[in-house]
Short mmCIF file of all heavy atoms in Angstrom, two decimals:
data_model
loop_
_atom_site.label_atom_id
_atom_site.label_comp_id
_atom_site.label_asym_id
_atom_site.label_seq_id
_atom_site.Cartn_x
_atom_site.Cartn_y
_atom_site.Cartn_z
N PHE J 280 25.13 4.29 38.80
CA PHE J 280 26.12 5.33 39.06
C PHE J 280 27.53 4.78 38.84
O PHE J 280 28.36 4.73 39.75
CB PHE J 280 25.94 5.92 40.46
CG PHE J 280 24.60 6.56 40.64
CD1 PHE J 280 23.57 5.90 41.29
CD2 PHE J 280 24.36 7.82 40.12
CE1 PHE J 280 22.31 6.49 41.42
CE2 PHE J 280 23.11 8.42 40.25
CZ PHE J 280 22.09 7.75 40.90
N SER J 312 29.78 7.49 48.64
CA SER J 312 28.42 7.68 48.15
C SER J 312 28.19 6.78 46.94
O SER J 312 28.78 5.72 46.81
CB SER J 312 28.19 9.16 47.82
OG SER J 312 29.10 9.55 46.83
N HIS J 313 27.35 7.24 46.03
CA HIS J 313 26.87 6.41 44.94
C HIS J 313 27.93 6.01 43.90
O HIS J 313 27.99 4.89 43.46
CB HIS J 313 25.75 7.18 44.23
CG HIS J 313 26.21 8.55 43.78
ND1 HIS J 313 26.50 9.55 44.67
CD2 HIS J 313 26.47 9.06 42.55
CE1 HIS J 313 26.89 10.63 44.02
NE2 HIS J 313 26.89 10.36 42.73
N ARG J 314 28.79 7.00 43.52
CA ARG J 314 29.65 6.80 42.35
C ARG J 314 30.64 5.64 42.54
O ARG J 314 31.49 5.69 43.41
CB ARG J 314 30.42 8.10 42.06
CG ARG J 314 31.33 8.07 40.86
CD ARG J 314 30.59 8.10 39.55
NE ARG J 314 29.68 9.24 39.48
CZ ARG J 314 28.53 9.20 38.79
NH1 ARG J 314 28.19 8.12 38.13
NH2 ARG J 314 27.74 10.26 38.80
N SER J 381 21.36 8.64 50.50
CA SER J 381 21.65 9.45 49.33
C SER J 381 22.38 10.74 49.70
O SER J 381 23.12 11.29 48.90
CB SER J 381 20.33 9.84 48.69
OG SER J 381 20.33 9.51 47.36
N HIS J 382 22.11 11.21 50.90
CA HIS J 382 22.66 12.51 51.32
C HIS J 382 24.18 12.49 51.28
O HIS J 382 24.82 11.86 52.12
CB HIS J 382 22.16 12.87 52.71
CG HIS J 382 20.71 13.20 52.72
ND1 HIS J 382 19.75 12.30 52.31
CD2 HIS J 382 20.06 14.33 53.06
CE1 HIS J 382 18.58 12.88 52.39
NE2 HIS J 382 18.73 14.10 52.83
N LEU J 383 24.69 13.21 50.32
CA LEU J 383 26.13 13.16 50.06
C LEU J 383 26.92 13.57 51.28
O LEU J 383 26.56 14.54 51.97
CB LEU J 383 26.46 14.07 48.88
CG LEU J 383 25.82 13.62 47.56
CD1 LEU J 383 25.81 14.75 46.54
CD2 LEU J 383 26.54 12.41 47.01
N GLU J 384 27.94 12.83 51.55
CA GLU J 384 28.92 13.09 52.61
C GLU J 384 28.38 12.89 54.03
O GLU J 384 29.13 13.00 54.98
CB GLU J 384 29.53 14.51 52.49
CG GLU J 384 30.13 14.83 51.12
CD GLU J 384 31.41 14.06 50.81
OE1 GLU J 384 31.99 13.46 51.73
OE2 GLU J 384 31.80 14.04 49.62
N HIS J 415 35.02 10.55 48.14
CA HIS J 415 34.14 11.70 47.91
C HIS J 415 33.96 11.98 46.42
O HIS J 415 34.79 11.56 45.61
CB HIS J 415 34.75 12.96 48.52
CG HIS J 415 35.29 12.80 49.92
ND1 HIS J 415 34.53 13.05 51.03
CD2 HIS J 415 36.50 12.43 50.38
CE1 HIS J 415 35.27 12.85 52.12
NE2 HIS J 415 36.47 12.47 51.75
N GLY J 416 32.93 12.74 46.11
CA GLY J 416 32.78 13.29 44.76
C GLY J 416 33.34 14.71 44.79
O GLY J 416 33.40 15.33 45.86
N ASP J 417 33.74 15.24 43.64
CA ASP J 417 34.33 16.59 43.64
C ASP J 417 33.31 17.64 44.05
O ASP J 417 33.62 18.53 44.85
CB ASP J 417 34.92 16.91 42.26
CG ASP J 417 33.93 16.71 41.11
OD1 ASP J 417 33.16 15.74 41.16
OD2 ASP J 417 33.93 17.53 40.18
N GLY J 418 32.08 17.51 43.55
CA GLY J 418 31.06 18.51 43.89
C GLY J 418 30.74 18.48 45.38
O GLY J 418 30.68 19.52 46.04
N SER J 419 30.56 17.30 45.90
CA SER J 419 30.14 17.21 47.30
C SER J 419 31.28 17.51 48.26
O SER J 419 31.04 18.07 49.33
CB SER J 419 29.51 15.85 47.60
OG SER J 419 30.10 14.84 46.87
N PHE J 420 32.50 17.16 47.90
CA PHE J 420 33.62 17.45 48.81
C PHE J 420 33.74 18.96 49.01
O PHE J 420 33.98 19.44 50.12
CB PHE J 420 34.93 16.88 48.24
CG PHE J 420 36.03 16.76 49.27
CD1 PHE J 420 35.88 15.98 50.40
CD2 PHE J 420 37.24 17.42 49.08
CE1 PHE J 420 36.90 15.86 51.34
CE2 PHE J 420 38.27 17.30 50.01
CZ PHE J 420 38.10 16.53 51.14
N GLN J 423 29.58 20.28 50.52
CA GLN J 423 28.85 19.85 51.71
C GLN J 423 29.61 20.22 53.00
O GLN J 423 30.76 19.83 53.20
CB GLN J 423 28.62 18.33 51.67
CG GLN J 423 27.63 17.91 50.59
CD GLN J 423 26.20 18.33 50.90
OE1 GLN J 423 25.70 18.12 51.99
NE2 GLN J 423 25.55 18.95 49.94
N VAL J 448 36.90 11.19 43.86
CA VAL J 448 36.70 10.78 42.46
C VAL J 448 36.22 12.05 41.76
O VAL J 448 35.04 12.38 41.73
CB VAL J 448 35.66 9.64 42.35
CG1 VAL J 448 35.46 9.25 40.89
CG2 VAL J 448 36.13 8.44 43.14
N ASN J 450 35.42 13.80 38.92
CA ASN J 450 35.08 13.65 37.50
C ASN J 450 34.71 14.99 36.86
O ASN J 450 34.17 15.05 35.78
CB ASN J 450 33.97 12.61 37.32
CG ASN J 450 32.76 12.92 38.18
OD1 ASN J 450 32.61 14.06 38.64
ND2 ASN J 450 31.90 11.95 38.38
N GLN J 451 35.02 16.07 37.55
CA GLN J 451 34.93 17.43 37.01
C GLN J 451 33.51 17.87 36.68
O GLN J 451 33.29 18.77 35.87
CB GLN J 451 35.82 17.59 35.78
CG GLN J 451 37.24 17.08 36.02
CD GLN J 451 38.15 17.39 34.86
OE1 GLN J 451 38.45 18.54 34.62
NE2 GLN J 451 38.56 16.38 34.13
N VAL J 452 32.57 17.21 37.30
CA VAL J 452 31.18 17.63 37.12
C VAL J 452 30.37 17.09 38.30
O VAL J 452 30.73 16.07 38.89
CB VAL J 452 30.62 17.11 35.76
CG1 VAL J 452 30.57 15.59 35.70
CG2 VAL J 452 29.26 17.70 35.44
N ALA J 453 29.35 17.82 38.67
CA ALA J 453 28.45 17.35 39.72
C ALA J 453 27.04 17.37 39.15
O ALA J 453 26.45 18.44 38.99
CB ALA J 453 28.55 18.23 40.97
N PHE J 454 26.55 16.21 38.79
CA PHE J 454 25.25 16.05 38.13
C PHE J 454 25.29 16.84 36.81
O PHE J 454 25.82 16.35 35.84
CB PHE J 454 24.13 16.50 39.06
CG PHE J 454 22.79 15.92 38.75
CD1 PHE J 454 21.74 16.00 39.67
CD2 PHE J 454 22.52 15.28 37.54
CE1 PHE J 454 20.48 15.46 39.39
CE2 PHE J 454 21.29 14.76 37.25
CZ PHE J 454 20.26 14.86 38.18
N THR J 455 24.80 18.08 36.79
CA THR J 455 24.91 18.87 35.56
C THR J 455 25.75 20.13 35.79
O THR J 455 25.82 20.99 34.90
CB THR J 455 23.53 19.32 35.07
OG1 THR J 455 22.99 20.22 36.04
CG2 THR J 455 22.58 18.16 34.87
N ARG J 515 33.50 11.56 33.71
CA ARG J 515 32.34 10.69 33.84
C ARG J 515 31.91 10.32 32.42
O ARG J 515 31.44 11.17 31.69
CB ARG J 515 31.25 11.48 34.57
CG ARG J 515 30.09 10.67 35.07
CD ARG J 515 29.03 11.61 35.64
NE ARG J 515 28.43 12.41 34.58
CZ ARG J 515 27.68 13.50 34.77
NH1 ARG J 515 27.44 13.94 35.99
NH2 ARG J 515 27.17 14.16 33.75
N HIS J 519 24.95 11.50 34.61
CA HIS J 519 25.02 11.37 36.07
C HIS J 519 24.69 9.94 36.47
O HIS J 519 25.34 9.33 37.30
CB HIS J 519 24.05 12.36 36.70
CG HIS J 519 23.96 12.22 38.18
ND1 HIS J 519 25.07 12.33 38.99
CD2 HIS J 519 22.91 11.96 38.99
CE1 HIS J 519 24.71 12.15 40.25
NE2 HIS J 519 23.41 11.92 40.28
C1 TPP W 29 22.93 16.37 50.18
C2 TPP W 29 22.59 16.02 48.75
N1 TPP W 29 22.25 16.99 47.90
C3 TPP W 29 21.94 16.70 46.63
C4 TPP W 29 21.97 15.41 46.19
C5 TPP W 29 21.60 15.07 44.74
N2 TPP W 29 22.82 14.62 44.03
C6 TPP W 29 23.12 13.32 43.91
S1 TPP W 29 24.59 13.09 43.15
C7 TPP W 29 24.82 14.72 42.93
C8 TPP W 29 26.06 15.22 42.28
C9 TPP W 29 27.27 14.87 43.06
O1 TPP W 29 28.39 15.35 42.43
P1 TPP W 29 29.80 14.86 42.85
O2 TPP W 29 29.99 14.99 44.31
O3 TPP W 29 30.78 15.54 42.00
O4 TPP W 29 29.75 13.28 42.55
P2 TPP W 29 29.59 12.55 41.13
O5 TPP W 29 28.15 12.16 40.96
O6 TPP W 29 30.04 13.48 40.10
O7 TPP W 29 30.46 11.35 41.24
C10 TPP W 29 23.77 15.45 43.47
C11 TPP W 29 23.68 16.92 43.43
C12 TPP W 29 22.31 14.42 47.13
N3 TPP W 29 22.31 13.14 46.82
N4 TPP W 29 22.64 14.75 48.39
#
Side-chain angles (χ1 to χ4, degrees):
F280 299 100
S312 60
H313 55 291
R314 182 74 54 211
S381 233
H382 290 59
L383 296 163
E384 306 290 346
H415 314 268
D417 53 321
S419 34
F420 197 60
Q423 291 290 311
V448 179
N450 54 18
Q451 311 187 68
V452 64
F454 203 166
T455 66
R515 193 186 67 194
H519 175 57

